[in-house]
Amino acid sequence: MTSDVSGSSAAKSAIESLGVLQEDLRRRMFLFIRRARHPVTRDEAAASVGISRKLAAFHLDKLVDAGLLRARYAAPGGVPKVGRQPKVYEPSEAQIQVSVPERRHELLADLLLTAVLGERQDESAIQAALRTAAEQGRRLGEQERSRSRPGRLGAERGLTLCERMLEGHGYEPVRESATRLTLRNCPFHPLAAKAPDLVCGMNHAFLAGYLDGLDAGAVQAVLAPRPDECCVELRRADTASAAQPDAEDE
């Protein structure tokens, strides 16, 4: 369950990219280049939609700026030419995914695949999945700790660091009080509803592992299922035993 880009930044980038594709000519050129299976020149792109080379260049540059295409100078077909090589365009490796609320099924699938491939002889598939989730969370927490070098973490500082990670992974964290952080979105819904013991268990193990890697002993991940929200919430450790909000949190 790791990501190189925060959820809010990734969502914004995806929405902006989709906005670029709203223009009909631009979208048709983009699809033509994706299906061409070879670098496409401006002339080829222009001819594919019946516009001038100059207008095609404008739209192609918009697609490059959005990260949907990449451009370079090369001879078409790989045959060297005398003089300056033409600019050619080809698909980038960008993948666009937008969901509201945010879903992270690919992260859950990655965890499950890692668990299957790394299952030990002395554990069941479910045990392997829980262990893998905890290890992944711990690595993420250790990375955050090495970046921020927070020193000894109290509950409030620990919740603040967790909030940033949770926002980036689509949990939609809400600070209910100084001691309690609830998660309004389950990034793994509706799969969590189909296998709650497995998915919620992995989710809990991942967040608990993150706190362990962060060395945020003053904060604890607690299973507290609520309809249409994440099954886990984060609390100050000395209030975490309660399954429902403490009186001071109301």
Side-chain angles (χ1 to χ4, degrees), residues 53-224:
R53 184 178 185 276
K54 184 176 181 180
L55 182 57
F58 169 79
H59 288 303
L60 290 168
D61 288 343
K62 290 289 185 181
L63 292 167
V64 171
D65 290 342
L68 296 169
L69 295 180
R70 58 189 176 199
R72 58 189 175 89
Y73 291 95
V79 180
K81 291 179 61 178
V82 177
R84 186 179 179 183
Q85 303 296 326
K87 200 172 189 178
V88 296
Y89 300 84
E90 53 195 348
S92 71
E93 296 179 355
Q95 297 184 41
I96 304 174
Q97 293 183 345
V98 178
S99 63
V100 180
E102 192 169 352
R103 300 296 181 228
R104 293 297 186 95
H105 295 157
E106 76 284 358
L107 300 179
L108 182 62
D110 180 68
L111 268 182
L112 289 170
L113 181 60
T114 302
V116 170
L117 295 176
E119 183 178 339
R120 299 168 181 169
Q121 291 184 347
D122 60 345
E123 62 184 2
S124 66
I126 292 178
Q127 289 172 331
L130 296 176
R131 173 181 56 78
T132 299
E135 291 173 350
Q136 187 86 332
R138 190 175 301 111
R139 282 193 292 270
L140 187 62
E142 290 170 349
Q143 291 169 6
E144 176 59 36
R145 185 170 182 81
S146 67
R147 283 194 298 264
S148 57
R149 301 185 181 279
R152 185 174 181 180
L153 287 176
E156 188 166 354
R157 175 62 174 154
L159 287 171
T160 298
L161 287 176
C162 291
E163 199 168 3
R164 185 167 62 190
M165 181 278 290
L166 294 164
E167 184 70 35
H169 282 74
Y171 285 95
E172 297 182 6
V174 174
R175 185 73 72 94
E176 300 288 353
S177 74
T179 63
R180 179 168 168 252
L181 193 65
T182 59
L183 311 177
R184 295 294 173 84
N185 181 50
C186 172
F188 314 114
H189 187 80
L191 298 179
K194 293 182 178 180
D197 290 344
L198 173 60
V199 178
C200 291
M202 292 176 66
N203 191 21
H204 180 249
F206 168 71
L207 294 176
Y210 178 79
L211 292 171
D212 186 35
L214 194 61
D215 198 17
V219 181
Q220 187 171 341
V222 180
L223 274 172

